Amino acid sequence: MIKNFLYETGRYLLFLRRVFSRPEKWRLSVRQFFVETEKLVINSIPLIALISVFIGAVLVIQTSNNMTSPFLPKMYIGYMTRESLILEFCSTMVCLILAGKIGSNISSELGTMRITEQIDAMEMMGINSANFLVLPKILATTILNPLLTLMSFIVGLLGGYLIIVLTGMIKVSDYLTGIQFAFNGYYITYSLIKTAVFSFIISSISAFYGYCATGGSLGVGRSATKAIVVASALILTFNLILTRIML
Amino acid sequence: MITVRHLSKYFDGRPAVKDISVEYMPGQCSLVIGASGSGKTVLLKSIVGLLEPEEGEVLFDTTVFNRLPAAEKKKIHCRMGMLFQGSALFDFATARENVRFPLDFFSQMSREEKADRVEFCLRRVGLENIGDKYPSELSGGMQKRVGIARAIALNPQYLFCDEPNSGLDPQTSVMIDRLIQEITAEYNITTVINTHDMNSVMEIGDKVVFIYKGEKCWEGSRDNILTSDNRNLEEFIFASRMARELKLRYGNGSPSQD
Ligand SMILES: Nc1ncnc2c1ncn2[C@@H]1O[C@H](COP(=O)(O)OP(=O)(O)OP(=O)(O)O)[C@@H](O)[C@H]1O
Ligand SMILES: [Mg+2]
């Protein structure tokens, strides 16, 4: 078990070494970067926005239900919603969702290329396929997913706002005061760094399992499942580690 | 020239290719024939470095290829063209982009020169009009031909084809065979072709290697293959009824005296 873990880790590190070598042709890799950005980041916007708006609304409802004490100002509903969003939802939860979405995309795409010998064909041409195919994916998600986190934060606050306007459960001005109350900019940094780390985990792990897929279409399915499970477990672990270090 | 010396490749302790030694000459089409599962693909992949053979060595001209460090291997890879048994076209690119892919990476051509070269290669395989289609929109035979166009795009010094005309109609098969033969002679390419198509053997088999259960069983050319007295080879060639009848009609002599 431990031997197996060390073996896999070693293979993963060797894989990363091939990924992070100098691109053959910068121009082609940059073009690939934009292709991956659209596929992995831009296409995730609708899903993340949809989930965030609902979560924002639900957080407002739950918080207000739990704050029945007349001594607590209603403003705290906005404050608590904001803190929940920025500290945990917009980074960790969003990344767990992305692990499913882009993780399965990356690993099934690379897995299919592996079993249909497209990766072999690339190697035969003398191209470092790991570098050409994987590096743009890792860079696009690691650099740009933090923007998704920011968007999720804003849309989540908007969701809270909308539910208050629609139901009138508290005064809108209380909510607006609350979400500006005792604002700690460092939490944003913390959240963005977490997202960058988690995105690196998602893209590199799922690329690793896809790139090394064997055993036909069953193998592709297996690699996608394994990628999502391992990436999610690592996200939770690193969430703990980063939170311990940074907060 | 490619020299293979005592090459063996095992899967889970069982040999798929056993102690094969053979030489492939430039300017010649060398055909490797054998039944399905006899080890043709494994031999080819071991030669080009996609599989690591456990024993033996592969020499490209005078360099021992299979022990080179990755960076050196790459230089030789740039001079190879390969057609895979399943075509292995890139799904994310159109037929034209597939052919242009190696050019983009390794040629110093201008944009127009590349476009010309791509059109030239597609024309040679008889596919001028499908440049904008994706592999999933092409028939199996068309994919094969795009694969060939991609393999020859960079004017390779070594050309490897794994079953170039399986799944093609007889007419297109002959066209592909002729094409491979022509470019082999024209550019003095060392060409290795896996096939089980006897038509190809008679058409272009400058050299023929017969593999039986992973071992080299016979070696010769199209001129003496029909008269060989190797039992396994005979069974392989004269498996079909038509072949048997032809053989009966012409006795054991050469049937090609029209
Ligand atoms: N990756 C692999 N793992 C285990 N065994 C393999 C692997 N690849 C090939 N083999 C075995 O090696 C033997 C030779 O296979 P190979 O693909 O070379 O046959 P072939 O001559 O190309 O057949 P065909 O004409 O059908 O393509 C087969 O018995 C096959 O089961
Ligand atoms: Mg084969």
Side-chain angles (χ1 to χ4, degrees):
Chain A
M1 166 89 176
I2 289 182
K3 215 175 111 188
N4 197 18
F5 171 76
L6 289 177
Y7 175 72
E8 291 271 297
T9 313
R11 282 206 325 157
Y12 172 68
L13 293 177
L14 286 178
F15 171 71
L16 284 187
R17 206 177 71 183
R18 289 201 63 211
V19 170
F20 285 92
S21 47
R22 219 171 55 82
E24 214 85 47
K25 284 264 161 108
W26 282 99
R27 194 174 52 79
L28 297 175
S29 289
V30 169
R31 197 177 68 190
Q32 205 62 15
F33 175 84
F34 287 110
V35 172
E36 303 296 353
T37 299
E38 182 183 350
K39 202 163 65 194
L40 301 174
V41 183
I42 302 200
N43 285 348
S44 302
I45 290 178
L47 176 73
I48 300 301
L50 185 75
I51 295 172
S52 304
V53 81
F54 276 92
I55 293 290
V58 168
L59 279 176
V60 164
I61 299 174
Q62 288 174 345
T63 322
S64 77
N65 274 4
N66 285 310
M67 294 212 329
T68 42
S69 161
F71 298 110
L72 277 174
K74 290 294 180 212
M75 162 196 97
Y76 275 102
I77 293 172
Y79 170 72
M80 300 279 284
T81 303
R82 186 195 77 205
E83 299 295 77
S84 314
L85 280 173
I86 195 64
L87 285 174
E88 206 53 19
F89 174 75
C90 297
S91 48
T92 314
M93 297 312 283
V94 161
C95 282
L96 284 173
I97 292 161
L98 287 178
K101 183 172 185 290
I102 58 183
S104 60
N105 179 303
I106 292 177
S107 60
S108 55
E109 178 185 314
L110 289 175
T112 308
M113 290 190 74
R114 165 61 74 193
I115 62 158
T116 56
E117 301 182 317
Q118 294 175 49
I119 289 180
D120 286 339
M122 223 172 254
E123 290 290 318
M124 273 298 300
M125 293 173 189
I127 298 166
N128 178 348
S129 56
N131 173 267
F132 177 75
L133 293 170
V134 178
L135 187 61
K137 291 185 200 293
I138 293 185
L139 291 185
T141 50
T142 307
I143 298 172
L144 297 173
N145 274 358
L147 295 180
L148 287 181
T149 292
L150 271 189
M151 180 204 73
S152 161
F153 181 48
I154 293 163
V155 175
L157 291 177
L158 196 71
Y161 176 82
L162 287 178
I163 197 75
I164 287 167
V165 171
L166 287 176
T167 63
M169 58 173 63
I170 58 168
K171 282 208 297 263
V172 170
S173 60
D174 278 345
Y175 179 71
L176 291 180
T177 321
I179 62 176
Q180 293 165 55
F181 175 72
F183 183 72
N184 186 347
Y186 178 67
Y187 285 177
I188 300 248
T189 317
Y190 160 75
S191 195
L192 295 185
I193 289 179
K194 279 209 304 188
T195 306
V197 172
F198 298 162
S199 298
F200 179 84
I201 290 173
I202 296 169
S203 50
S204 62
I205 292 284
S206 49
F208 170 66
Y209 282 113
Y211 192 85
C212 302
T214 53
S217 56
L218 290 181
V220 176
R222 239 183 346 251
S223 73
T225 311
K226 209 163 175 190
I228 295 170
V229 171
V230 173
S232 304
L234 282 177
I235 287 176
L236 296 175
T237 314
F238 273 82
N239 187 31
L240 196 68
I241 296 173
L242 286 177
T243 306
R244 192 75 190 79
I245 296 174
M246 293 184 69
L247 288 190
Chain B
M1 185 170 92
I2 303 173
T3 314
V4 179
R5 285 194 198 139
H6 303 293
L7 187 136
S8 299
K9 172 73 197 169
Y10 298 83
F11 289 112
D12 309 320
R14 251 182 298 142
V17 161
K18 212 157 70 192
D19 195 26
I20 288 191
S21 301
V22 65
E23 283 186 354
Y24 302 123
M25 292 297 176
Q28 274 191 1
C29 291
S30 307
L31 268 60
V32 179
I33 58 173
S36 183
S38 55
K40 303 185 294 293
T41 302
V42 172
L43 174 63
L44 193 71
K45 286 192 175 174
S46 305
I47 292 175
V48 302
L50 289 174
L51 290 173
E52 295 268 337
E54 273 83 18
E55 292 157 17
E57 49 191 21
V58 179
L59 281 80
F60 282 77
D61 294 321
T62 52
T63 341
V64 183
F65 177 67
N66 58 331
R67 305 236 184 77
L68 288 179
E72 297 292 314
K73 269 190 182 168
K74 201 166 126 175
K75 283 186 199 147
I76 296 185
H77 270 148
C78 296
R79 291 189 271 142
M80 296 183 196
M82 175 143 173
L83 171 70
F84 286 80
Q85 192 163 358
S87 301
L89 297 181
F90 302 131
D91 288 325
F92 57 80
T94 62
R96 188 173 287 126
E97 287 162 355
N98 261 287
V99 180
R100 204 181 57 210
F101 198 84
L103 296 177
D104 278 341
F105 270 91
F106 296 111
S107 81
Q108 315 299 327
M109 296 179 187
S110 72
R111 186 183 285 266
E112 290 76 30
E113 285 171 323
K114 276 186 213 162
D116 286 348
R117 178 73 193 159
V118 170
E119 291 312 317
F120 172 79
C121 293
L122 283 175
R123 222 177 311 119
R124 279 209 88 153
V125 295
L127 292 175
E128 298 87 340
N129 306 319
I130 54 93
D132 291 323
K133 295 208 171 177
Y134 282 89
S136 56
E137 302 166 330
L138 298 174
S139 77
M142 287 168 155
Q143 293 181 13
K144 274 258 148 77
R145 288 190 273 163
V146 175
I148 294 177
R150 184 177 71 182
I152 62 174
L154 273 175
N155 267 330
Q157 191 179 344
Y158 312 100
L159 181 63
F160 303 94
C161 301
D162 201 350
E163 315 218 347
N165 43 26
S166 66
L168 296 182
D169 60 283
Q171 211 177 359
T172 317
S173 291
V174 171
M175 186 197 105
I176 294 293
D177 283 342
R178 298 239 167 93
L179 163 69
I180 294 176
Q181 189 179 35
E182 268 170 39
I183 57 172
T184 299
E186 199 175 325
Y187 302 107
N188 202 31
I189 304 173
T190 308
T191 302
V192 182
I193 303 169
N194 284 355
T195 185
H196 34 219
D197 182 4
M198 281 310 290
N199 285 327
S200 308
V201 173
M202 299 318 291
E203 193 82 33
I204 58 173
D206 300 323
K207 169 173 188 150
V208 183
V209 179
F210 175 62
I211 297 196
Y212 183 75
K213 293 191 175 160
E215 292 184 75
K216 186 171 92 176
C217 192
W218 184 86
E219 185 175 343
S221 78
R222 65 185 148 193
D223 301 323
N224 54 20
I225 189 167
L226 292 176
T227 52
S228 108
D229 50 8
N230 186 306
R231 266 206 63 76
N232 294 326
L233 178 62
E234 224 171 280
E235 268 171 25
F236 176 80
I237 300 173
F238 299 109
S240 81
R241 182 160 166 196
M242 192 175 82
R244 274 198 307 276
E245 279 174 5
L246 282 176
K247 185 177 160 146
L248 279 181
R249 188 173 314 161
Y250 293 103
N252 225 357
S254 165
S256 58
Q257 290 153 4
D258 302 319

